Amino acid sequence: MPPPASFILGAGMKEKLDSLVKSRRFWVAAAGVAVVFLKEAVGVPLSEEQITQLVLLAGSWIVGESLRSSEG
């Protein structure tokens, strides 16, 4: 029988990991990394400029969402 997740991750880490997985900002960042990876590994037909624009757009959205959520 495997040990419980709280034992492996430590106190409070399971909640932080759950929060991260539910975060839209995390998934937008992961999608940005996936686009760059797919361009290099699989050869997705996007130009370097398109990749740059997508990553900048995602980064801008993440920053804006972070500022909005920190206003309270």
Side-chain angles (χ1 to χ4, degrees):
M1 179 179 198
S6 60
F7 176 76
I8 294 171
L9 297 175
M13 285 300 292
K14 183 174 181 338
E15 291 80 19
K16 289 180 182 180
L17 187 59
D18 286 343
S19 174
L20 177 68
V21 171
K22 293 177 184 175
S23 169
R24 291 180 296 174
R25 290 177 287 205
F26 169 75
W27 290 112
V28 169
V33 170
V35 166
V36 172
F37 174 76
L38 289 174
K39 166 71 173 147
E40 296 298 323
V42 182
V44 174
L46 293 173
S47 70
E48 294 296 323
E49 184 178 345
Q50 289 172 321
I51 298 282
T52 301
Q53 294 299 320
L54 285 170
V55 170
L56 286 174
L57 180 63
S60 299
W61 183 83
I62 291 170
V63 169
E65 188 69 17
S66 297
L67 291 173
R68 186 175 67 111
S69 67
S70 68
E71 287 178 356

